Amino acid sequence: MYDGTKIIPGILLFMIVLSFPVWYDRLNGSAVIPDPEVKTESKYCVMPKEYMRSNHMVLLDEWRDSVIRDGDRSKVFAGIIKYDKSLSNSCMKCHNNKKNFCDRCHERLSVNPTCWDCHNLPEEAAHAN
Amino acid sequence: MQINRKEFLKKAGIAGASLIAGGVLYSLFKGDDIITAVVESSAQTKWAMLIDVKKCAGKPDCSACMTACHKGHNVPAIDDIRREIKWIWKADFGNVFPEHTSEYMDVAVRSQKVIVACNQCDNPPCVRVCPVGATWKRADGIVMMDHHRCIGCRYCMAACPYGSRSFNWKDPRKILSGNDIRVEYPVRTKGVVEKCNFCAERIDVGEMPLCVEACSEGAILFGNVADPESDIRRALAGKYVLRRKAELGTNPEIYYLV
């Protein structure tokens, strides 16, 4: 092999640099899965937890389209209690700790939903930005 | 018959041009299919309003309907006439019905206040021009606004002959002070257009619009004009009513008893 002494360390160095984000996060201790705090009176969400974790944004879009575009304001169940298909009046009524719930995941993942520009949070009507 | 190259090209050109012109003329006279799509309606329900201007004029200082609506929908109060947001408001008779006003009409009559809002047209020009489908006509006649889709181009405002639409020049949250915000209904952001929605969020759950409920004089009658037995149909049957700029063909669904 020609110049193996240069090529092999070179490849190794390249791999190290390439994987920088992975091992940096590990060493830094910031690679933990965020732990959203579920602090609700009800035991149930509007869908199973696993579904909500991966698909709540899809569900919100479906609610939005059915409510506004189809005028379908029928209710959904969480456990045995009926809720409106509403961001402010359902999700945020139960999950009324946005900072420790929605934001904990979203900040970690740099997701910035703009919903709160318009939709209000029940407990802090005056959340001026 | 002999035909040379030049002659052939000339004739072919004329034939081609007349084909195209014919197509253009045909589609012009046939009319635009977008328009027919908006006009057709097979509705079981069509919501409409009848406003009794006389009852309203009896209480010139009253603003119950406007307060109820603007509070219920988090509509900010802005003094600047170029920036204000209006869902329902008062205007002079002479401005609302210029075609029913003559120059000899008493100033007092001409400046009598009339309640106006989005007319929920049957043939809404705003819907025709919206490039993103953010405003459309529901099966029950309500011209809805989807603020999630609005890009703020304001074509709809230019198209509306009634000035029923307002643009958010500023963040309304900055104007609505904290306690004024009704949590259950979203506010809007800077850069979207808004208007009266006939209280779709209430009608859909079987309630009356806020303005109708707030009026102590019973000056606003709301109902289903597709149902011949409804109160509003009975009220409309034998009366001479006005609609704003009906000659434009927009078919407003707000009727005025004067």
Side-chain angles (χ1 to χ4, degrees), chain B residues 140-202:
Chain B
D140 62 5
I142 298 182
V143 178
M144 273 294 272
M145 222 8 243
D146 186 344
H147 295 98
H148 304 99
R149 293 203 191 177
C150 179
I151 55 169
C153 70
R154 292 176 281 150
Y155 282 14
C156 57
M157 293 176 67
C160 177
Y162 309 105
S164 293
R165 290 171 164 269
S166 313
F167 182 70
N168 282 281
W169 291 95
K170 319 175 188 176
D171 181 1
R173 225 178 255 289
K174 297 221 171 80
I175 300 149
L176 295 157
S177 61
N179 307 332
D180 281 356
I181 292 181
R182 195 182 137 233
V183 177
E184 291 77 20
Y185 198 84
V187 299
R188 270 69 57 194
T189 48
K190 185 167 155 182
V192 296
V193 171
E194 61 183 79
K195 69 168 193 76
C196 156
N197 63 351
F198 252 25
C199 281
E201 80 280 4
R202 294 171 61 84

Side-chain angles (χ1 to χ4, degrees), chain B residues 67-83:
Chain B
T67 313
C69 169
H70 287 190
K71 215 168 154 31
H73 295 114
N74 294 322
V75 179
I78 301 171
D79 275 339
D80 181 353
I81 194 167
R82 285 155 59 233
R83 304 275 145 106

Side-chain angles (χ1 to χ4, degrees), chain B residues 19-235:
Chain B
L19 255 175
I20 293 170
V24 169
L25 282 176
Y26 175 74
S27 61
L28 268 181
F29 282 113
K30 189 173 145 267
D32 191 355
D33 44 29
I34 302 173
I35 300 175
T36 44
V38 174
V39 171
E40 80 183 29
S41 134
S42 59
Q44 301 289 308
T45 317
K46 189 194 279 177
W47 299 114
M49 229 174 230
L50 174 61
I51 298 179
D52 191 330
V53 177
K54 276 217 191 81
K55 277 189 191 162
C56 206
K59 280 179 91 178
D61 298 329
C62 177
S63 60
C65 54
M66 297 180 280
T67 313
C69 169
H70 287 190
K71 215 168 154 31
H73 295 114
N74 294 322
V75 179
I78 301 171
D79 275 339
D80 181 353
I81 194 167
R82 285 155 59 233
R83 304 275 145 106
E84 66 186 348
I85 313 265
K86 305 180 291 192
W87 283 35
I88 178 169
W89 71 103
K90 280 180 187 174
D92 290 357
F93 182 89
N95 292 341
V96 177
F97 296 110
E99 66 277 28
H100 298 283
T101 315
S102 79
E103 60 180 300
Y104 307 115
M105 192 182 242
D106 242 5
V107 177
V109 180
R110 210 185 300 176
S111 58
Q112 202 174 81
K113 297 294 178 193
V114 179
I115 292 288
V116 288
C118 168
N119 281 296
Q120 311 291 345
C121 304
D122 248 5
N123 182 15
C126 52
V127 168
R128 212 150 66 211
V129 297
C130 179
V132 293
T135 191
W136 76 101
K137 202 182 98 180
R138 305 203 321 186
D140 62 5
I142 298 182
V143 178
M144 273 294 272
M145 222 8 243
D146 186 344
H147 295 98
H148 304 99
R149 293 203 191 177
C150 179
I151 55 169
C153 70
R154 292 176 281 150
Y155 282 14
C156 57
M157 293 176 67
C160 177
Y162 309 105
S164 293
R165 290 171 164 269
S166 313
F167 182 70
N168 282 281
W169 291 95
K170 319 175 188 176
D171 181 1
R173 225 178 255 289
K174 297 221 171 80
I175 300 149
L176 295 157
S177 61
N179 307 332
D180 281 356
I181 292 181
R182 195 182 137 233
V183 177
E184 291 77 20
Y185 198 84
V187 299
R188 270 69 57 194
T189 48
K190 185 167 155 182
V192 296
V193 171
E194 61 183 79
K195 69 168 193 76
C196 156
N197 63 351
F198 252 25
C199 281
E201 80 280 4
R202 294 171 61 84
I203 293 171
D204 286 348
V205 295
E207 288 167 12
M208 278 280 154
L210 284 167
C211 54
V212 178
E213 220 174 71
C215 182
S216 58
E217 304 303 298
I220 312 176
L221 184 60
F222 182 84
N224 176 9
V225 283
D227 171 12
E229 300 301 310
S230 64
D231 286 350
I232 187 162
R233 272 292 288 275
R234 289 213 192 91

